[in-house]
Amino acid sequence: MVTAFVSAQDYGLKPDLAGKVRDIFDLDDRLLIVATDRISAYDVILPDPIPGKGIILTQMTLGWYELFSGSLATHFITSNPDEYPSPFKGRAELIGRSMLVKKANRFDVECVVRGYLAGSGWREYRQDGSVCGIQLPDGLMESSPLEMPIFTPATKADSGHDENISFESMAAIVPATIAEQLRTMSISIYKEAHEYAKGRGIILADTKFEFGEINDEIILIDEMLSPDSSRFWPQDLYQPGRSQQSFDKQYIRDYLDEIKWDRTPPPPSLPKDVVERSLERYREACGRLFPKINLEKML
């Protein structure tokens, strides 16, 4: 088992920004993004990391980057530490969990696409029959497939929880023409990824993307279609009308709900079996979607 990577500071590297999961280093026109093994639930970082989780998230993102390489521009430069600048060059602890990327001007919105009614979308629908201002048909159940994927943007929060907004509100944050482009791109990526995942026994229920701009070109930035940014469901167990088993941290959320944690700090520790089973869900998702990725070598 790989040693848990909790913080780059443990290796003498001080990040410019430490998010819930990622440590980010600002290198002028580039960024070094390191996916740690930290895990959060209900916007609180938990005390127990999931060893190897950051490697799996990074490898899945790289798998999607490669799959879409002919049709989608991204910020990716390299994931080989031998090609990183000092003091990161050749650092063994960064292998598999880091990426050197181009720095873009980020659009401060989360581009969310939903193909099924789940999570906050299901909660909104139960209240008023719509999601982010999009009216949906009556009679839908939890986890129901939608006739067409819908674009439901959210605010981009550096801390705390992102909030769903209408497309009109999004167009007040970024120019309307850009908002239209982001919506079109997001839905197109979702549709293609949904078909790819379906062919491997996984339902891509929803996902979120981040985009930025370099020299007037819109590019995809940050992670792509990982279990931390998407809902993946096993197709053979799918049944509308209830919540679904998923390949993400839902297992951890379920445990925290079971022990009735009030979702305020300090968070409780996670039992060893919860950590192990959560990691196994991440590994299974990666293995199904990208069987050529040799996780055994990295984990």
Side-chain angles (χ1 to χ4, degrees):
M1 174 66 73
V2 67
T3 301
F5 189 111
V6 180
S7 171
Q9 293 194 70
D10 296 338
Y11 298 90
L13 303 171
K14 186 177 180 181
D16 295 285
L17 175 65
K20 293 173 188 172
V21 174
R22 288 165 181 78
D23 286 347
I24 301 176
F25 298 86
D26 191 332
L27 309 175
D28 295 325
D29 61 340
R30 297 174 294 174
L31 301 172
L32 183 72
I33 301 177
V34 181
T36 74
D37 296 329
R38 298 191 295 267
I39 190 163
S40 67
Y42 303 117
D43 300 313
V44 178
I45 297 174
L46 304 181
D48 304 282
I50 309 297
K53 169 178 167 282
I55 291 175
I56 296 172
L57 294 182
T58 300
Q59 294 307 305
M60 288 185 70
T61 288
L62 294 175
W64 289 112
Y65 280 0
E66 183 178 357
L67 187 68
F68 280 86
S69 61
S71 59
L72 179 67
T74 75
H75 64 171
F76 179 68
I77 298 174
T78 181
S79 60
N80 182 355
D82 289 339
E83 299 174 1
Y84 295 170
S86 286
F88 312 100
K89 185 178 179 65
R91 299 287 293 252
E93 59 271 15
L94 300 180
I95 294 174
R97 64 169 70 250
S98 61
M99 296 187 296
L100 186 68
V101 303
K102 292 174 282 189
K103 186 194 292 186
N105 294 317
R106 187 186 75 181
F107 297 118
D108 289 329
V109 288
E110 295 276 10
C111 293
V112 182
V113 183
R114 304 174 190 269
Y116 296 76
L117 198 53
S120 62
W122 167 240
R123 291 193 293 271
E124 284 189 42
Y125 175 79
R126 282 190 299 174
Q127 290 178 352
D128 55 21
S130 64
V131 180
C132 293
I134 301 172
Q135 198 67 35
L136 297 177
D138 295 336
L140 296 180
M141 300 182 291
E142 183 176 9
S143 305
S144 285
L146 302 177
E147 185 176 353
M148 294 289 291
I150 59 174
F151 181 75
T152 60
T155 56
K156 174 60 185 170
D158 289 322
S159 61
H161 193 63
D162 300 333
E163 294 185 6
N164 294 342
I165 57 175
S166 67
F167 181 77
E168 289 72 23
S169 296
M170 173 183 171
I173 298 173
V174 300
T177 54
I178 297 294
E180 291 281 2
Q181 287 178 270
L182 297 181
R183 176 167 62 181
T184 299
M185 292 174 67
S186 299
I187 292 175
S188 176
I189 297 168
Y190 171 84
K191 286 180 176 179
E192 186 173 342
H194 179 272
E195 287 306 304
Y196 176 86
K198 185 178 178 182
R200 286 146 186 82
I202 290 180
I203 292 173
L204 173 59
D206 55 45
T207 191
K208 63 181 180 179
F209 304 111
E210 290 187 43
F211 293 93
E213 189 175 43
I214 297 178
N215 297 326
D216 297 324
E217 180 185 22
I218 296 176
I219 64 171
L220 183 77
I221 62 174
D222 204 22
E223 65 182 318
M224 181 180 185
L225 295 159
S226 82
D228 271 16
S229 65
S230 314
R231 276 190 181 84
F232 293 115
W233 297 335
Q235 191 170 345
D236 58 339
L237 300 177
Y238 170 67
Q239 183 180 349
R242 59 171 174 80
S243 62
Q244 309 297 311
Q245 290 191 29
S246 57
F247 294 106
D248 58 16
K249 57 188 174 185
Q250 190 59 48
Y251 191 88
I252 289 175
R253 292 194 195 99
D254 290 345
Y255 167 76
L256 295 173
D257 291 344
E258 181 182 325
I259 65 171
K260 295 181 169 42
W261 176 48
D262 63 6
R263 305 185 184 183
T264 59
S269 293
L270 299 175
K272 183 179 178 181
D273 68 304
V274 172
V275 171
E276 291 176 349
R277 291 180 188 179
S278 298
L279 178 61
E280 189 54 39
R281 300 299 282 168
Y282 281 87
R283 291 181 69 159
E284 184 179 351
C286 186
R288 285 202 196 188
L289 291 169
F290 301 106
K292 292 183 179 180
I293 294 177
N294 188 355
L295 288 179
E296 298 300 327
K297 184 178 179 181
M298 290 178 273
L299 299 177

